[in-house]
Amino acid sequence: MFSENKRDKKSKKEMNHLSKEQNKIAEGTTINGDLEGQGSFRIDGKIIGTVKTAGKIVLGKNGVIEGEITCEDADLEGLVKGNIEVNNTLTLKSSAVVEGEVITGKLAIEPGADFNATCTMKGAVKSMHNDKKQTKEGKTA
């Protein structure tokens, strides 16, 4: 019984360590398929498919993603054609080009970035809904 607990603790430590690791897709590399990981991704090559991680995605100036992105945070400098879902902050640098649909908690866009997308902000819908309820409650009280 004690050995199982030690093994469980070790695997949790290993997973925490793995989630801090960064995966790098170098310039000149093309991947046709889906990528999924716990750690962050630095992408300077081209990916045609889905990229999903619990970490951060950094897309370099020459990086291209044609497909869906799901992550915690993202810093984009390259080209993205597809849907993007970022739980926390999506940052578009001046050289970024985004085409598709975006769902994010926070959005930061530098001047010069091309943002040809529909965008839904996660937190804004909830707060507006709560404000309306408070206003109605205030009038009836």
Side-chain angles (χ1 to χ4, degrees):
M1 182 171 183
F2 290 109
S3 62
E4 288 179 4
N5 289 337
K6 288 180 183 178
R7 206 175 296 147
D8 289 342
K9 288 179 184 178
K10 184 177 180 182
S11 64
K12 287 179 184 177
K13 286 181 183 178
E14 287 175 0
M15 288 194 59
N16 284 338
H17 175 67
L18 290 175
S19 67
K20 294 178 184 177
E21 292 292 322
Q22 184 175 31
N23 301 289
K24 185 173 180 180
I25 309 300
E27 191 171 347
T29 302
T30 300
I31 296 176
N32 290 304
D34 299 337
L35 291 178
E36 188 170 343
Q38 293 296 312
S40 297
F41 284 98
R42 167 75 191 201
I43 301 166
D44 292 307
K46 182 175 183 178
I47 297 177
I48 302 170
T50 301
V51 181
K52 185 175 182 179
T53 181
K56 182 176 187 175
I57 293 177
V58 177
L59 182 66
K61 277 188 177 182
N62 297 319
V64 176
I65 298 176
E66 294 179 8
E68 294 187 16
I69 297 174
T70 304
C71 61
E72 191 63 27
D73 293 289
D75 288 346
L76 307 179
E77 292 183 82
L79 170 66
V80 177
K81 290 184 178 183
N83 299 337
I84 302 171
E85 184 170 351
V86 179
N87 291 328
N88 199 11
T89 304
L90 170 61
T91 303
L92 302 180
K93 304 294 184 178
S94 61
S95 60
V97 177
V98 175
E99 299 174 4
E101 294 182 21
V102 174
I103 299 172
T104 186
K106 297 176 186 174
L107 179 63
I109 304 176
E110 289 184 359
D114 289 333
F115 187 65
N116 301 315
T118 59
C119 183
T120 303
M121 304 297 289
K122 289 183 178 182
V125 174
K126 291 179 184 177
S127 66
M128 286 174 45
H129 183 63
N130 289 339
D131 289 344
K132 287 180 183 177
K133 280 186 178 179
Q134 289 175 354
T135 305
K136 288 179 183 177
E137 289 172 3
K139 289 180 181 179
T140 59

